[in-house]
Coordinates of all heavy atoms in Angstrom, one line a residue:
K30 N 5.6 -1.9 -4.6 CA 6.2 -0.8 -4.1 C 5.4 0.5 -4.4 O 5.2 1.4 -3.4 CB 7.6 -0.6 -4.7 CG 8.6 -1.7 -4.4 CD 9.2 -1.5 -3.0 CE 10.2 -0.4 -2.9 NZ 10.7 -0.3 -1.5
L31 N 5.0 0.7 -5.5 CA 4.3 1.9 -5.9 C 2.9 2.0 -5.3 O 2.4 3.1 -5.0 CB 4.1 2.1 -7.4 CG 5.5 2.2 -8.1 CD1 5.4 2.1 -9.7 CD2 6.2 3.5 -7.7
R32 N 2.2 0.9 -5.0 CA 0.9 0.9 -4.3 C 1.1 1.5 -2.9 O 0.2 2.1 -2.4 CB 0.3 -0.5 -4.2 CG -0.7 -0.9 -5.2 CD -1.4 -2.1 -4.9 NE -0.6 -3.3 -4.6 CZ 0.1 -4.0 -5.5 NH1 -0.1 -3.8 -6.8 NH2 0.8 -5.0 -5.1
R33 N 2.3 1.3 -2.4 CA 2.6 1.8 -1.0 C 3.2 3.1 -1.0 O 3.7 3.7 -0.1 CB 3.5 0.8 -0.3 CG 2.8 -0.5 0.1 CD 3.7 -1.4 1.0 NE 5.0 -1.6 0.6 CZ 5.3 -2.7 -0.2 NH1 4.4 -3.6 -0.5 NH2 6.6 -2.9 -0.6
H34 N 3.2 3.8 -2.2 CA 3.8 5.1 -2.5 C 5.3 5.2 -2.1 O 5.7 6.2 -1.6 CB 3.0 6.2 -1.8 CG 1.5 6.2 -2.2 ND1 1.1 6.8 -3.4 CD2 0.4 5.7 -1.6 CE1 -0.1 6.7 -3.5 NE2 -0.6 6.0 -2.5
E35 N 6.0 4.1 -2.4 CA 7.4 4.1 -2.1 C 8.2 4.2 -3.4 O 7.9 3.6 -4.4 CB 7.8 2.7 -1.6 CG 7.2 2.4 -0.2 CD 7.4 1.0 0.3 OE1 8.1 0.2 -0.4 OE2 6.9 0.7 1.4
S36 N 9.1 5.2 -3.4 CA 10.0 5.4 -4.5 C 11.2 4.5 -4.3 O 11.5 4.0 -3.2 CB 10.6 6.8 -4.5 OG 9.5 7.7 -4.7
F37 N 11.9 4.2 -5.4 CA 13.1 3.2 -5.3 C 14.0 3.4 -6.6 O 13.5 3.9 -7.6 CB 12.6 1.8 -5.1 CG 11.8 1.3 -6.2 CD1 12.3 0.6 -7.3 CD2 10.4 1.5 -6.2 CE1 11.5 0.1 -8.3 CE2 9.6 1.1 -7.2 CZ 10.1 0.4 -8.3
L38 N 15.2 2.9 -6.5 CA 16.1 3.0 -7.6 C 16.0 1.7 -8.4 O 15.9 0.6 -7.8 CB 17.6 3.1 -7.1 CG 18.6 3.2 -8.2 CD1 18.5 4.5 -8.9 CD2 20.0 3.2 -7.5
F39 N 15.9 1.8 -9.7 CA 15.9 0.6 -10.6 C 17.1 0.7 -11.6 O 17.2 1.8 -12.2 CB 14.6 0.5 -11.3 CG 14.6 -0.6 -12.4 CD1 14.8 -1.9 -12.1 CD2 14.4 -0.3 -13.8 CE1 14.7 -2.9 -13.0 CE2 14.3 -1.3 -14.7 CZ 14.6 -2.6 -14.3
S40 N 17.8 -0.3 -11.7 CA 19.0 -0.3 -12.7 C 18.9 -1.5 -13.5 O 18.3 -2.5 -13.2 CB 20.3 -0.2 -11.9 OG 20.5 -1.2 -11.1
W41 N 19.5 -1.4 -14.7 CA 19.5 -2.5 -15.7 C 20.7 -2.4 -16.5 O 21.4 -1.4 -16.6 CB 18.2 -2.3 -16.6 CG 18.2 -1.0 -17.4 CD1 18.7 -0.9 -18.7 CD2 17.8 0.3 -17.0 NE1 18.6 0.4 -19.1 CE2 18.1 1.1 -18.1 CE3 17.2 0.7 -15.8 CZ2 17.7 2.5 -18.0 CZ3 16.9 2.1 -15.8 CH2 17.2 2.9 -16.8
A42 N 21.0 -3.6 -17.2 CA 22.1 -3.6 -18.1 C 21.5 -3.5 -19.5 O 20.5 -4.2 -19.8 CB 22.8 -5.0 -17.9
N43 N 22.2 -2.8 -20.3 CA 21.8 -2.7 -21.8 C 22.5 -3.8 -22.5 O 23.6 -4.0 -22.4 CB 22.3 -1.3 -22.4 CG 21.4 -0.2 -21.8 OD1 20.2 -0.3 -21.5 ND2 22.1 0.9 -21.6
G44 N 21.7 -4.5 -23.3 CA 22.3 -5.5 -24.2 C 23.1 -4.9 -25.3 O 23.1 -3.7 -25.6
V45 N 23.9 -5.7 -25.9 CA 24.8 -5.3 -27.0 C 24.0 -4.6 -28.1 O 24.4 -3.5 -28.6 CB 25.5 -6.5 -27.6 CG1 26.3 -6.1 -28.8 CG2 26.4 -7.1 -26.6
A46 N 22.7 -5.1 -28.4 CA 21.9 -4.4 -29.4 C 21.5 -3.0 -29.0 O 21.1 -2.1 -29.9 CB 20.6 -5.2 -29.6
N47 N 21.6 -2.7 -27.7 CA 21.2 -1.4 -27.2 C 22.5 -0.5 -26.8 O 22.3 0.4 -26.0 CB 20.2 -1.4 -26.1 CG 18.9 -2.1 -26.5 OD1 18.3 -1.7 -27.5 ND2 18.5 -3.1 -25.8
G48 N 23.6 -0.9 -27.3 CA 24.8 -0.1 -27.0 C 25.6 -0.5 -25.8 O 26.5 0.2 -25.3
S49 N 25.2 -1.7 -25.2 CA 25.9 -2.1 -24.0 C 25.7 -1.1 -22.9 O 24.9 -0.2 -22.9 CB 27.4 -2.5 -24.2 OG 27.5 -3.5 -25.2
G50 N 26.6 -1.2 -21.9 CA 26.5 -0.3 -20.7 C 25.4 -0.7 -19.7 O 24.8 -1.7 -19.8
R51 N 25.0 0.3 -18.9 CA 23.9 0.1 -18.0 C 23.2 1.4 -17.7 O 23.7 2.5 -18.1 CB 24.4 -0.5 -16.7 CG 25.4 0.2 -15.9 CD 25.9 -0.6 -14.7 NE 26.0 0.0 -13.4 CZ 25.1 0.7 -12.7 NH1 24.0 0.9 -13.2 NH2 25.4 1.2 -11.5
G52 N 22.1 1.4 -17.1 CA 21.3 2.6 -16.8 C 20.6 2.5 -15.5 O 20.6 1.4 -14.9
A53 N 20.2 3.6 -15.0 CA 19.5 3.5 -13.7 C 18.4 4.7 -13.7 O 18.6 5.7 -14.3 CB 20.4 3.8 -12.5
A54 N 17.3 4.5 -13.0 CA 16.2 5.5 -12.9 C 15.7 5.4 -11.5 O 15.6 4.4 -10.9 CB 15.2 5.2 -13.9
W55 N 15.3 6.6 -11.0 CA 14.6 6.7 -9.8 C 13.1 6.6 -10.1 O 12.5 7.4 -10.8 CB 14.9 8.1 -9.1 CG 14.2 8.2 -7.7 CD1 13.2 9.0 -7.4 CD2 14.7 7.5 -6.5 NE1 12.9 8.8 -6.1 CE2 13.8 7.9 -5.5 CE3 15.7 6.6 -6.3 CZ2 14.0 7.5 -4.2 CZ3 15.8 6.1 -5.0 CH2 14.9 6.6 -4.0
I56 N 12.5 5.5 -9.6 CA 11.1 5.2 -9.9 C 10.2 5.8 -8.8 O 10.5 5.6 -7.6 CB 10.9 3.7 -9.9 CG1 11.8 2.9 -10.9 CG2 9.4 3.4 -10.2 CD1 11.7 3.4 -12.3
H57 N 9.3 6.7 -9.2 CA 8.5 7.4 -8.3 C 7.0 7.2 -8.7 O 6.6 7.1 -9.8 CB 8.8 8.9 -8.4 CG 8.1 9.8 -7.4 ND1 6.9 10.3 -7.5 CD2 8.6 10.2 -6.2 CE1 6.6 11.0 -6.5 NE2 7.6 10.9 -5.6
P58 N 6.1 7.1 -7.6 CA 4.7 6.8 -7.9 C 4.0 7.8 -8.8 O 3.0 7.5 -9.4 CB 4.1 6.8 -6.5 CG 5.2 6.6 -5.6 CD 6.4 7.2 -6.2
S59 N 4.5 9.0 -8.9 CA 3.8 10.0 -9.7 C 4.2 10.0 -11.2 O 3.6 10.8 -12.0 CB 4.0 11.4 -9.1 OG 5.4 11.8 -9.3
V60 N 5.1 9.2 -11.5 CA 5.6 9.0 -12.9 C 4.9 7.8 -13.6 O 4.9 6.7 -13.1 CB 7.1 9.0 -13.0 CG1 7.6 8.9 -14.4 CG2 7.7 10.2 -12.2
P61 N 4.4 8.0 -14.8 CA 3.8 6.9 -15.5 C 4.7 5.8 -15.8 O 5.9 6.0 -16.1 CB 3.4 7.5 -16.9 CG 3.3 9.0 -16.7 CD 4.4 9.3 -15.6
L62 N 4.3 4.6 -15.6 CA 5.1 3.3 -15.8 C 4.2 2.3 -16.6 O 3.1 2.0 -16.1 CB 5.4 2.8 -14.5 CG 6.3 1.5 -14.4 CD1 7.6 1.7 -15.1 CD2 6.5 1.1 -13.0
L63 N 4.7 1.8 -17.7 CA 3.9 0.9 -18.5 C 4.7 -0.4 -18.7 O 5.9 -0.3 -18.8 CB 3.6 1.5 -19.9 CG 2.8 2.7 -20.0 CD1 2.9 3.3 -21.4 CD2 1.3 2.4 -19.6
F64 N 4.0 -1.5 -18.6 CA 4.6 -2.8 -18.9 C 4.0 -3.3 -20.2 O 2.8 -3.6 -20.2 CB 4.3 -3.8 -17.7 CG 4.8 -3.3 -16.4 CD1 4.1 -2.4 -15.6 CD2 6.1 -3.7 -16.0 CE1 4.6 -2.0 -14.4 CE2 6.6 -3.2 -14.8 CZ 5.8 -2.4 -14.0
L65 N 4.7 -3.3 -21.3 CA 4.2 -3.8 -22.6 C 4.8 -5.1 -22.9 O 6.0 -5.3 -23.0 CB 4.6 -2.8 -23.6 CG 4.0 -1.3 -23.4 CD1 4.5 -0.3 -24.4 CD2 2.5 -1.3 -23.3
Y66 N 4.0 -6.1 -23.1 CA 4.4 -7.5 -23.4 C 4.3 -7.8 -24.9 O 3.4 -7.3 -25.6 CB 3.6 -8.5 -22.6 CG 3.7 -8.3 -21.1 CD1 2.9 -7.4 -20.3 CD2 4.7 -9.0 -20.5 CE1 3.1 -7.2 -19.0 CE2 4.9 -8.8 -19.0 CZ 4.1 -7.9 -18.3 OH 4.3 -7.8 -17.0
S67 N 5.3 -8.6 -25.3 CA 5.2 -9.1 -26.7 C 4.3 -10.2 -26.9 O 3.7 -10.4 -28.0 CB 6.6 -9.4 -27.2 OG 7.1 -10.5 -26.5
G68 N 4.0 -11.0 -25.9 CA 3.1 -12.1 -26.0 C 1.8 -11.9 -25.3 O 1.7 -11.0 -24.5
N69 N 0.9 -12.8 -25.6 CA -0.5 -12.7 -25.0 C -0.6 -13.5 -23.6 O -1.5 -13.3 -22.9 CB -1.5 -13.2 -25.9 CG -1.8 -12.3 -27.1 OD1 -1.5 -11.1 -27.0 ND2 -2.1 -12.8 -28.2
G70 N 0.3 -14.4 -23.4 CA 0.3 -15.3 -22.2 C 0.7 -14.6 -21.0 O 1.2 -13.5 -21.0
H71 N 0.4 -15.2 -19.8 CA 0.8 -14.8 -18.5 C 1.8 -15.7 -18.0 O 1.4 -16.8 -17.6 CB -0.4 -14.6 -17.6 CG -1.4 -13.7 -18.0 ND1 -1.3 -12.3 -17.8 CD2 -2.6 -13.8 -18.7 CE1 -2.4 -11.7 -18.3 NE2 -3.2 -12.6 -18.9
P72 N 3.1 -15.3 -17.9 CA 4.1 -16.2 -17.4 C 3.8 -16.6 -16.0 O 3.3 -15.8 -15.1 CB 5.4 -15.4 -17.4 CG 5.1 -14.3 -18.3 CD 3.7 -14.0 -18.3
Q73 N 4.1 -17.9 -15.6 CA 3.9 -18.4 -14.3 C 5.0 -17.7 -13.4 O 6.2 -17.6 -13.8 CB 4.1 -19.9 -14.3 CG 3.9 -20.5 -12.9 CD 3.9 -22.0 -13.0 OE1 4.2 -22.6 -14.0 NE2 3.6 -22.7 -11.8
L74 N 4.6 -17.2 -12.3 CA 5.6 -16.5 -11.4 C 6.4 -17.4 -10.5 O 5.8 -18.4 -10.0 CB 4.8 -15.5 -10.6 CG 4.1 -14.4 -11.4 CD1 3.3 -13.5 -10.5 CD2 5.0 -13.6 -12.3
N75 N 7.6 -17.1 -10.4 CA 8.5 -17.8 -9.5 C 8.6 -17.1 -8.1 O 9.2 -16.0 -8.1 CB 9.9 -17.9 -10.2 CG 10.9 -18.7 -9.4 OD1 11.0 -18.6 -8.1 ND2 11.8 -19.3 -10.0
R76 N 8.1 -17.7 -7.1 CA 8.1 -17.0 -5.8 C 9.4 -16.7 -5.2 O 9.6 -15.6 -4.7 CB 7.3 -17.9 -4.8 CG 7.3 -17.5 -3.4 CD 7.0 -16.1 -3.0 NE 5.6 -15.7 -3.3 CZ 5.3 -14.4 -3.3 NH1 6.1 -13.4 -2.9 NH2 4.0 -14.0 -3.6
E77 N 10.4 -17.6 -5.4 CA 11.7 -17.3 -5.0 C 12.4 -16.1 -5.7 O 13.1 -15.3 -5.0 CB 12.6 -18.5 -5.1 CG 12.2 -19.6 -4.2 CD 13.1 -20.9 -4.4 OE1 14.3 -20.8 -4.7 OE2 12.5 -22.0 -4.3
W78 N 12.1 -16.0 -6.9 CA 12.6 -14.8 -7.7 C 11.9 -13.6 -7.3 O 12.6 -12.5 -7.1 CB 12.4 -15.1 -9.2 CG 13.2 -14.3 -10.1 CD1 14.3 -13.5 -9.8 CD2 13.1 -14.1 -11.5 NE1 14.9 -13.0 -10.9 CE2 14.1 -13.3 -12.0 CE3 12.2 -14.7 -12.5 CZ2 14.2 -13.0 -13.3 CZ3 12.3 -14.3 -13.7 CH2 13.3 -13.5 -14.2
L79 N 10.7 -13.6 -7.0 CA 9.9 -12.4 -6.5 C 10.5 -12.0 -5.2 O 10.7 -10.8 -4.9 CB 8.4 -12.7 -6.4 CG 7.6 -12.8 -7.7 CD1 6.1 -13.3 -7.4 CD2 7.6 -11.4 -8.4
D80 N 10.7 -12.9 -4.3 CA 11.2 -12.6 -3.0 C 12.6 -11.9 -3.1 O 12.9 -10.9 -2.4 CB 11.3 -13.8 -2.1 CG 10.0 -14.4 -1.6 OD1 9.0 -13.6 -1.7 OD2 9.9 -15.6 -1.2
R81 N 13.4 -12.4 -4.0 CA 14.7 -11.9 -4.2 C 14.7 -10.4 -4.7 O 15.4 -9.5 -4.3 CB 15.6 -12.8 -5.1 CG 17.0 -12.3 -5.3 CD 17.8 -12.2 -4.1 NE 19.2 -11.7 -4.4 CZ 19.8 -10.7 -3.8 NH1 19.2 -10.1 -2.7 NH2 21.0 -10.3 -4.1
L82 N 13.8 -10.2 -5.7 CA 13.6 -8.9 -6.3 C 13.0 -8.0 -5.3 O 13.4 -6.7 -5.3 CB 12.8 -9.0 -7.6 CG 13.4 -9.8 -8.7 CD1 12.3 -10.0 -9.8 CD2 14.6 -9.1 -9.3
I83 N 12.1 -8.4 -4.5 CA 11.6 -7.5 -3.5 C 12.6 -7.1 -2.5 O 12.8 -5.9 -2.0 CB 10.4 -8.2 -2.7 CG1 9.2 -8.3 -3.7 CG2 10.0 -7.5 -1.5 CD1 8.0 -9.2 -3.2
E84 N 13.5 -8.1 -2.1 CA 14.6 -7.8 -1.2 C 15.5 -6.7 -1.8 O 15.9 -5.8 -1.1 CB 15.4 -9.1 -0.9 CG 16.6 -9.0 0.0 CD 17.2 -10.4 0.1 OE1 16.6 -11.3 0.4 OE2 18.5 -10.4 -0.1
L85 N 15.8 -6.9 -3.1 CA 16.7 -5.9 -3.8 C 16.0 -4.5 -3.8 O 16.6 -3.5 -3.6 CB 17.1 -6.4 -5.2 CG 18.0 -7.5 -5.2 CD1 18.1 -8.1 -6.6 CD2 19.4 -7.1 -4.8
A86 N 14.7 -4.4 -4.1 CA 14.0 -3.2 -4.2 C 14.0 -2.4 -2.9 O 14.0 -1.2 -2.9 CB 12.6 -3.5 -4.7
N87 N 14.1 -3.1 -1.8 CA 14.1 -2.5 -0.5 C 15.5 -2.2 0.0 O 15.7 -1.8 1.1 CB 13.4 -3.4 0.5 CG 11.9 -3.5 0.3 OD1 11.3 -2.5 -0.1 ND2 11.3 -4.6 0.4
S88 N 16.5 -2.5 -0.8 CA 18.0 -2.4 -0.4 C 18.5 -1.0 -0.8 O 17.9 -0.4 -1.8 CB 18.8 -3.5 -0.9 OG 19.0 -3.3 -2.3
P89 N 19.6 -0.6 -0.2 CA 20.2 0.7 -0.7 C 20.6 0.6 -2.2 O 20.6 1.7 -2.9 CB 21.4 0.9 0.2 CG 21.0 0.1 1.4 CD 20.3 -1.0 0.9
Q90 N 21.1 -0.5 -2.7 CA 21.5 -0.6 -4.1 C 20.4 -0.6 -5.1 O 20.6 -0.3 -6.2 CB 22.4 -1.9 -4.3 CG 21.6 -3.2 -4.2 CD 22.5 -4.4 -4.3 OE1 23.4 -4.5 -3.5 NE2 22.2 -5.3 -5.2
G91 N 19.2 -0.9 -4.6 CA 18.0 -0.8 -5.5 C 17.7 -2.0 -6.3 O 18.5 -3.0 -6.3
L92 N 16.6 -2.0 -6.9 CA 16.1 -3.1 -7.8 C 16.9 -3.3 -9.0 O 17.2 -2.3 -9.8 CB 14.6 -2.9 -8.1 CG 13.9 -4.0 -9.0 CD1 13.9 -5.3 -8.3 CD2 12.5 -3.5 -9.2
H93 N 17.3 -4.5 -9.3 CA 17.9 -4.8 -10.6 C 17.6 -6.3 -10.9 O 17.4 -7.1 -9.9 CB 19.4 -4.6 -10.6 CG 20.2 -5.3 -9.6 ND1 20.3 -4.8 -8.3 CD2 20.9 -6.4 -9.7 CE1 21.1 -5.7 -7.7 NE2 21.4 -6.7 -8.5
I94 N 17.6 -6.7 -12.1 CA 17.3 -8.1 -12.5 C 18.4 -8.9 -12.2 O 19.6 -8.7 -12.6 CB 16.8 -8.1 -14.0 CG1 15.7 -7.3 -14.2 CG2 16.6 -9.6 -14.4 CD1 15.3 -7.2 -15.7
V95 N 18.2 -10.0 -11.5 CA 19.2 -11.1 -11.2 C 18.7 -12.3 -11.8 O 17.5 -12.5 -12.2 CB 19.3 -11.3 -9.7 CG1 20.0 -10.1 -9.1 CG2 18.1 -11.6 -9.0
D96 N 19.6 -13.3 -12.0 CA 19.2 -14.6 -12.6 C 18.0 -15.2 -11.8 O 18.0 -15.1 -10.6 CB 20.4 -15.5 -12.6 CG 21.4 -15.1 -13.7 OD1 21.1 -14.3 -14.6 OD2 22.6 -15.5 -13.5
E97 N 17.1 -15.9 -12.5 CA 16.0 -16.5 -11.9 C 16.5 -17.8 -11.3 O 17.1 -18.6 -11.9 CB 14.9 -16.9 -13.0 CG 13.8 -17.6 -12.4 CD 12.7 -17.9 -13.4 OE1 12.8 -17.6 -14.6 OE2 11.6 -18.4 -13.0
P98 N 16.2 -18.0 -10.0 CA 16.5 -19.2 -9.3 C 15.6 -20.4 -9.8 O 14.4 -20.1 -10.2 CB 16.3 -19.0 -7.8 CG 15.3 -17.9 -7.8 CD 15.5 -17.1 -9.1
A99 N 16.1 -21.6 -9.7 CA 15.2 -22.7 -10.0 C 14.1 -22.8 -9.0 O 14.4 -22.7 -7.8 CB 16.0 -24.0 -10.0
P100 N 12.9 -23.0 -9.3 CA 11.8 -23.2 -8.3 C 12.1 -24.4 -7.4 O 12.6 -25.4 -7.9 CB 10.5 -23.3 -9.1 CG 10.9 -23.6 -10.5 CD 12.4 -23.2 -10.7
S101 N 11.7 -24.2 -6.2 CA 11.9 -25.3 -5.2 C 10.9 -26.4 -5.5 O 9.8 -26.1 -6.1 CB 11.8 -24.9 -3.8 OG 10.5 -24.4 -3.5
A102 N 11.2 -27.6 -5.1 CA 10.3 -28.8 -5.5 C 9.0 -28.6 -4.7 O 7.9 -29.1 -5.2 CB 11.0 -30.0 -5.0
T103 N 8.9 -27.8 -3.6 CA 7.7 -27.7 -2.9 C 6.9 -26.5 -3.3 O 5.8 -26.3 -2.8 CB 8.0 -27.6 -1.3 OG1 8.8 -26.5 -1.1 CG2 8.6 -28.9 -0.9

Side-chain angles (χ1 to χ4, degrees):
K30 296 283 287 178
L31 295 173
R32 258 191 313 279
R33 292 190 302 268
H34 300 282
E35 296 175 1
S36 299
F37 58 96
L38 183 67
F39 173 60
S40 59
W41 63 92
N43 290 322
V45 175
N47 296 310
S49 299
R51 60 187 226 53
W55 186 250
I56 307 297
H57 189 274
S59 67
V60 179
L62 180 63
L63 299 169
F64 300 86
L65 302 175
Y66 295 91
S67 61
N69 290 332
H71 296 279
Q73 186 175 4
L74 299 176
N75 179 326
R76 171 48 65 187
E77 291 179 37
W78 201 12
L79 286 172
D80 289 345
R81 178 66 178 129
L82 293 172
I83 289 167
E84 180 182 308
L85 288 168
N87 291 323
S88 74
Q90 72 187 50
L92 176 61
H93 60 276
I94 299 172
V95 293
D96 290 336
E97 179 177 7
S101 65
T103 59

